[in-house]
Amino acid sequence: MTAGASAALVLAAAALVDPGDEVLIADPSYPCNRQIMESFGARAVLVPTTTAAGRFQLDAASVRSHWTDRTRGVMVATPSNPTGTSVPAGELAAICGTARERGAWCLVDEIYLDLGDHDEHGRPQASVLASDPDAVVVNSFSKYFGMTGWRLGWCVVPETYVPVMERLAQNYFLCASAPAQQAALACFTRESLAVCEARREEFVRRHALAVEGLEGIGLPVPVRPDGAFYVYFDVSGTGLTSWEFCERALREAHVALTPGRDFGVRTADTHVRLSCAAAADELREGIARLGTLVATLG
Ligand SMILES: Cc1ncc(COP(=O)(O)O)c(C=O)c1O
């Protein structure tokens, strides 16, 4: 147990990398993941994942093509922040297999796993551990269980890493908050799980609302999200960079968005992240205001 996925990521980085090691990570992706690795002296190698066909996600072929003799591991977040897209199970197994063949590790951030869309038979997305028991997995109570401020998460590591992680955890944090752990036990009652499931279903509806709304005002969503609560859309047709677009949206429409610059290099100027954590009515209102802004841009 850790103080959120963030502390699990710190422990994993402390255990897994040495200065000068290279770690492959998707561009765009959650910025703290690469910054935590870099704070331990590793070099985050941003692998372009900007094709709609590749769903803005890593695949085994691009992992292989960016591999060097300094590469020590691969970091995947599925479903992803900022794109809300998942790596298909077979591809994820292939990525982890590629790392394993080379004596490297695969760290999978599954913080949005339970907020992944279910398949046509109603089955939830499976953890990478179903195909690769050696993967290092990070997860948290922050998203599916909505306990962000309680700072509670966890890390699943191969047996050999357990004493290493325990020693590091003891030095960095002593323990994850005991009151938060007691509170989190209440997540696993039938009633709590029903609330969380209803919330996941609401995110599916909000995704549809946001994608249709954005496309309706001329802001394309190149890849439909299948998890988390984000929509990553393209503002290049507006004539503004994503930074300018976000500033104008904030000042003129009073809508808060996150520019692509936060998430990497390749989509830094072209894409913007919208969070569907706001209620459906607020999303509708926000998108209507963005529509007015887009119209004034001509
Ligand atoms: C992909 C990803 N990993 C980790 C985190 C950190 O989560 P936590 O609140 O559990 O530290 C976030 C938070 O937004 C995230 O999006």
Side-chain angles (χ1 to χ4, degrees):
M1 299 308 300
T2 56
S6 304
L9 287 160
V10 168
L11 291 174
L16 296 173
V17 299
D18 288 318
D21 288 354
E22 288 179 3
V23 177
L24 302 183
I25 182 156
D27 178 6
S29 58
Y30 178 62
C32 307
N33 284 4
R34 82 184 70 108
Q35 281 151 15
I36 289 170
M37 286 292 165
E38 285 177 341
S39 72
F40 286 91
R43 193 169 88 80
V45 175
L46 295 181
V47 178
T49 54
T50 49
T51 63
R55 296 187 55 71
F56 283 127
Q57 273 288 11
L58 283 180
D59 56 33
S62 50
V63 164
R64 278 194 292 274
S65 68
H66 286 80
W67 205 275
T68 74
D69 55 9
R70 312 201 81 172
T71 309
R72 293 291 171 276
V74 186
M75 234 178 151
V76 184
T78 177
S80 145
N81 178 3
T83 62
T85 59
S86 310
V87 182
E91 198 62 45
L92 188 54
I95 293 171
C96 292
T98 304
R100 201 175 335 102
E101 280 160 18
R102 290 158 169 77
W105 45 264
C106 190
L107 193 162
V108 185
D109 179 342
E110 294 190 341
I111 193 165
Y112 297 105
L113 181 70
D114 289 329
L115 288 176
D117 290 358
H118 291 183
D119 70 10
E120 66 273 23
H121 306 293
R123 285 178 304 221
Q125 293 186 16
S127 166
V128 66
L129 294 168
S131 62
D132 190 338
D134 289 332
V136 174
V137 171
V138 162
N139 207 325
S140 165
F141 284 87
S142 290
K143 309 295 178 183
Y144 182 69
F145 294 111
M147 289 179 61
T148 318
W150 293 80
R151 309 308 309 137
L152 196 65
W154 66 93
C155 197
V156 183
V157 297
E159 204 65 41
T160 47
Y161 280 115
V162 171
V164 178
M165 300 285 259
E166 278 179 352
R167 283 198 300 276
L168 288 165
Q170 212 168 15
N171 281 275
Y172 286 147
F173 308 109
L174 294 179
C175 71
S177 156
Q181 292 186 63
Q182 291 293 337
L185 290 174
C187 290
F188 303 106
T189 64
R190 195 187 295 270
E191 292 82 358
S192 299
L193 290 168
V195 170
C196 294
E197 254 323 275
R199 217 185 278 148
R200 184 191 65 76
E201 287 164 6
E202 172 61 15
F203 283 135
V204 175
R205 287 189 288 274
R206 289 187 202 168
H207 266 152
L209 183 165
V211 171
E212 275 142 42
L214 289 167
E215 298 213 311
I217 57 169
L219 297 171
V221 180
V223 187
R224 239 188 140 83
D226 62 344
F229 39 74
Y230 305 115
V231 178
Y232 205 50
F233 62 96
D234 186 347
V235 294
S236 52
T238 65
L240 300 179
T241 66
S242 64
W243 185 267
E244 291 163 344
F245 185 88
C246 290
E247 280 219 319
R248 301 237 352 221
L250 192 59
R251 280 182 215 284
E252 296 169 33
H254 300 165
V255 174
L257 298 160
T258 313
R261 183 192 290 192
D262 276 18
F263 305 104
V265 179
R266 270 84 176 186
T267 53
D269 288 335
T270 51
H271 286 65
V272 168
R273 189 196 73 174
L274 176 144
S275 166
C276 297
D281 282 346
E282 288 172 350
L283 282 175
R284 275 190 208 96
E285 169 67 23
I287 292 169
R289 292 186 194 188
L290 291 180
T292 308
L293 173 67
V294 171
T296 58
L297 298 172

